[in-house]
Amino acid sequence: MKNPDDQNDDPAIGDMARRRFLQGVALATGAGALAVNGGAWGGSTLSDAFADFFQQHYQRMTEAEIRATIERIERKAKRRYGVDIRVDNTPAQEGVIFGYAINVSKCRGYRDCVHACARENNLSSDTQYIRVIEMDRDSTDLRHGDHYYDHEQVPVEGKYYLPMQCMQCDNPPCVKACPVEATWTEPDGIVVVDYDWCIGCRYCMTACPYQARHFNWGHPDLTSAGLNPDTHYLGNRPRPRGVVEKCHFCVQRTRKGRQPACQEACPTGARIFGNLLDPDSEIRYVLEHKAVFRLKEDLGTEPKFWYFRDE
Amino acid sequence: MTWPSRLLALLTVLAVAPCGVARAVEQQGAPPTADWDWSGFTGLDDTPVTKRAGISKAPVAAVVPRVGETAMPDFDAPARRAYAVFSGVPPFEVIPSQRDPGMHPCSSCHQWVLSDPRPRHLKKPHDNFELQHGLHGKGKFWCFTCHDLSGSGGLKTLTGEKLEFGDAYLLCSQCHVDQARDWAYGAHGKRAANWQGRRQVFNCTACHYQHRPGIKARAPQPGPPVRMGLERPAHWVAHDTERPKVHGYESVWQRAHRETQAAGSGQHTGDPQTNPAEQAADEKS
C-alpha cells in the first residue's frame, strides 16, 4: 500500500515546501559553481544540468514535468551515445496484473533469454537480469545451484535448469527497504525503480531474497549500435552510474501488449506470461491446472512468478 | 497388383521417365490411391527401422537437417484459424510452417512416380532424414501413417481423414492428447509476439522436427560475467581447483585453470570434441 502522504500534491505542505527551499539554495550554489568551473556539465546545457539536479520523484511530477524530463533524458542519450531514443511513459493498463510462469521441464539452459533480455533492456555487459541456475535433479536447494555453468552442450544429464529473475513480489521486501522510496509497485504489479531518484545505497539488493537487483558500478558500457531506442521511463532507458536496476517485465513492451523479451526469445516455450486477472489467459490456465510452486515461499514475499513441471 | 509387379512398374517408370512424362503415366496406369494393400506393411513390428532386414545402416544421421530448417514458421503466410477440436478453448490461430518448396506438393512427383510403402532405407529425394518418431524412436511409424498421397498430397489421420500440412497439430493431437490440450490452452508450445490481442501460436512442427521430434541438446549462450572489480586473482583460481567438484563438474574457474595448466604442459584437454566424461576421467587421474 502506498503511503497517503505520497499522493499529496499540495506544494505548501511538509517536505515539498522544504524541497522548494532547498532547490532555491542549491540553484544559487550551482550558479556560483558554474562561474568558477565552466565546462563541468558533461556537455549538457546549464538549464539541463539544473533540471537534472532538481528533478522530482516520478510519482510526484506533473504531466508537463514528466514530458520535460523525458525530453531531457532523450537529449542526454543523444549526447552520450549518438542515438535518438524514444522514452515512453505508457501507464499501467486497467485490469491488468502481470504474472509469469516457467516450465522447468522445458527449460534447457540455453540462456537465450538472458541475452535477449540484455539486448532489449540496454544492460551493461557486467549485468544480467536473468540467472539460469543449473540444479541437481531431485533437489531444489538453491545453494547447490550454479549459474556459471559452461558446458559444450546443454542440458546435462542429471541436471535441470531454473531461470531466476525479479519475481515482482506482491509483498516486496526491496520496496520496504528503500529509504528514499525510489522503488515501488506499479498498479500492474511490476516493481519499478526511478533511476534518477535512487541514491545507490543498495539496501534493496540486500533485502531481496532472490538476488534480483543489480548495481551499476560504472556507467553502462552501451554501444550506439547495440542500444535499443524503444525505452520506457521506468524500464530500459539508459541508466546513470551508481543506481540499482532490476527486471521490470519489459515494461516498455508489456504495457503495449507485447511479450517480454525473455519469453519471445525462449526457444522451447518454457516461459508463460500474461494477465493474472484474465480468466482466459495462459497464465491462469497454468496456475489452475498445474502443480505450481514459487521460490522461497516461506518468506511471505508473494512472488508473481511461478514454476511448474510437466507431469 | 502384386508387389513384384508394382516394383517392376516403378522401375519402368524410372527407366522411361527421361523419355517422356506422358509415356510414364501411360505405363504406370492409374495413380495410387489411399486404399493401399497393407498386408505387406511391416512398419508395426518391434524392430527399429535401422535394424530391419534389407535396410542399410549407412550413416544417414550425418545429413539429418537441423531442427528448424524444414519447419521454419512462415510469418508471411496468413495465420490459420485453429480447428475447434478442443472444446472450451479461447479462439486462436496457428502460424503455418514453411515447407521445403522443392518437395511440395507431393503430387508434383507422385502423380508419375509410384511410392513404395515398405519400410526401407530411403533414397533420394527422401534421404535427408531418418524417421525417429514413435515409441521412443523405435520407428513404429512409416511414411503412410501420416502422409497421404492421394490428390495433391498432404497428411491424413489414422482414420483416413485428409489434412493440410498446416494442420499438423491435429495429426499430432491424435496421440499426444495431453500436450495438445496444454498447447491449445497455452501451457505447452509458444505464442508469438504478444500476450494481448490476437493469439497466434506456433504449430507443433515449428519446434519439433516431425520426423525426429525430440529436441536436441545444443551449446548454451555464454555465462554471466564476473562483476566489475571482482575478477578473481590468480591464487583464488589455484585455490578453487583444490575444492572437490561437489556438483559433479568443474566451475569456470576450475576449467580456466585446467586449460592454463594443459596449455603449459602441451596438452589441451579443453578440446570441444572431447567427451565430458573423458574429461572428468582425466581430471581424476
Side-chain angles (χ1 to χ4, degrees), chain B residues 213-275:
Chain B
I215 293 179
K216 283 169 78 176
R218 69 160 165 85
Q221 302 271 352
V226 181
R227 292 292 160 73
M228 195 185 289
L230 288 178
E231 276 84 7
R232 297 192 184 189
H235 69 273
W236 282 22
V237 177
H239 170 73
D240 207 21
T241 55
E242 302 297 318
R243 198 182 63 173
K245 287 192 277 184
V246 287
H247 309 321
Y249 62 91
E250 57 191 359
S251 70
V252 281
W253 312 115
Q254 288 170 319
R255 176 175 159 160
H257 178 69
R258 179 172 56 77
E259 287 181 354
T260 318
Q261 297 287 311
S265 63
Q267 280 184 331
H268 184 67
T269 54
D271 185 7
Q273 300 300 320
T274 316
N275 188 338

Side-chain angles (χ1 to χ4, degrees), chain A residues 13-34:
Chain A
I13 292 178
D15 64 45
M16 293 305 289
R18 187 168 65 246
R19 181 163 281 280
R20 284 280 162 88
F21 169 70
L22 286 170
Q23 281 178 4
V25 172
L27 200 75
T29 321
L34 184 78

Side-chain angles (χ1 to χ4, degrees), chain A residues 93 96 98 103 106 108-112 115 125-126 128 131 134 136 144 146-155 159 214 217 254 257-259 263-267 269 272-273 275 280 282 285-286 290 308, chain B residues 90 181-182 185-197 199 201 207 215-228 232 246-253 255 270-274 276 279:
Chain A
Q93 293 188 25
V96 171
F98 291 123
N103 187 343
K106 289 233 166 53
R108 297 179 154 248
Y110 295 147
R111 291 205 189 99
D112 283 2
H115 292 271
S125 64
D126 60 333
Q128 289 176 355
R131 235 181 273 262
E134 188 176 64
D136 292 327
H144 292 157
D146 178 12
H147 65 289
Y148 288 110
Y149 65 89
D150 183 21
H151 307 295
E152 304 295 350
Q153 283 197 331
V154 284
K159 304 282 180 189
H214 305 268
W217 291 93
T254 51
R258 294 176 69 198
Q259 291 178 352
Q263 188 192 14
E264 197 171 278
C266 179
I272 290 152
F273 178 83
N275 180 8
D280 288 339
E282 291 104 330
Y285 178 81
V286 167
K290 301 286 176 185
F308 68 102
Chain B
R181 191 184 53 237
D182 278 354
Y185 282 101
H188 182 111
K190 194 166 163 58
R191 179 176 179 167
N194 60 356
W195 64 269
Q196 198 173 32
R199 182 163 163 245
V201 297
C207 301
I215 293 179
K216 283 169 78 176
R218 69 160 165 85
Q221 302 271 352
V226 181
R227 292 292 160 73
M228 195 185 289
R232 297 192 184 189
V246 287
H247 309 321
Y249 62 91
E250 57 191 359
S251 70
V252 281
W253 312 115
R255 176 175 159 160
D271 185 7
Q273 300 300 320
T274 316
Q279 283 184 19

Side-chain angles (χ1 to χ4, degrees), chain B residues 67-104:
Chain B
V67 174
E69 269 181 4
T70 56
M72 278 301 286
D74 187 1
F75 287 105
D76 297 331
R80 302 172 68 91
R81 184 73 184 264
Y83 277 75
V85 291
F86 310 101
S87 59
V89 182
F92 65 102
E93 294 166 344
V94 183
I95 298 170
S97 299
Q98 205 164 37
R99 301 190 304 271
D100 179 0
M103 300 285 281
H104 293 276

Side-chain angles (χ1 to χ4, degrees), chain A residues 68-289:
Chain A
T69 307
I70 282 175
E71 282 166 12
R72 218 164 52 239
I73 292 167
E74 287 172 348
R75 279 200 294 275
K76 219 186 295 178
K78 178 74 175 167
R79 266 202 313 278
R80 194 170 189 89
Y81 305 106
V83 177
D84 288 310
I85 66 165
R86 296 174 292 282
V87 181
D88 188 22
N89 189 34
T90 315
Q93 293 188 25
E94 284 290 321
V96 171
I97 290 180
F98 291 123
Y100 215 122
I102 288 189
N103 187 343
V104 265
S105 310
K106 289 233 166 53
C107 179
R108 297 179 154 248
Y110 295 147
R111 291 205 189 99
D112 283 2
C113 52
V114 176
H115 292 271
C117 164
R119 279 191 301 276
E120 167 70 26
N121 288 317
N122 294 325
L123 298 190
S124 186
S125 64
D126 60 333
T127 303
Q128 289 176 355
Y129 286 168
I130 305 174
R131 235 181 273 262
V132 183
I133 303 178
E134 188 176 64
M135 304 277 286
D136 292 327
R137 179 138 296 176
D138 304 325
S139 163
T140 51
D141 192 348
L142 289 166
R143 288 174 301 176
H144 292 157
D146 178 12
H147 65 289
Y148 288 110
Y149 65 89
D150 183 21
H151 307 295
E152 304 295 350
Q153 283 197 331
V154 284
V156 171
E157 193 64 36
K159 304 282 180 189
Y160 73 96
Y161 297 86
L162 188 81
M164 263 177 86
Q165 58 204 78
C166 176
M167 306 276 158
Q168 315 293 353
C169 303
D170 219 28
N171 182 18
C174 52
V175 167
K176 293 180 212 167
C178 181
V180 294
E181 295 178 8
T183 181
W184 66 94
T185 309
E186 284 281 290
D188 52 7
I190 304 177
V191 179
V192 294
V193 182
D194 183 350
Y195 308 116
D196 294 325
W197 200 255
C198 173
I199 57 171
C201 70
R202 300 190 278 143
Y203 286 5
C204 56
M205 291 172 66
T206 328
C208 175
Y210 306 103
Q211 301 176 19
R213 288 178 166 257
H214 305 268
F215 187 63
N216 281 291
W217 291 93
H219 278 293
D221 53 353
L222 304 174
T223 58
S224 309
L227 195 76
N228 174 11
D230 290 314
T231 68
H232 192 282
Y233 191 101
L234 302 170
N236 60 342
R237 68 182 164 110
R239 269 77 67 185
R241 182 178 124 181
V243 301
V244 170
E245 55 176 309
K246 62 182 270 301
C247 161
H248 40 75
F249 276 177
C250 283
V251 64
Q252 69 281 357
R253 297 164 67 107
T254 51
R255 283 193 177 170
K256 293 175 176 169
R258 294 176 69 198
Q259 291 178 352
C262 48
Q263 188 192 14
E264 197 171 278
C266 179
T268 63
R271 292 171 166 269
I272 290 152
F273 178 83
N275 180 8
L276 292 172
L277 302 183
D278 175 8
D280 288 339
S281 64
E282 291 104 330
I283 181 88
R284 279 286 290 271
Y285 178 81
V286 167
L287 296 186
E288 287 161 19
H289 292 85

Side-chain angles (χ1 to χ4, degrees), chain B residues 146-161:
Chain B
C146 303
H147 285 275
D148 179 19
L149 289 185
S150 66
S152 64
L155 302 171
K156 69 172 166 61
T157 62
L158 294 173
T159 53
E161 190 186 348

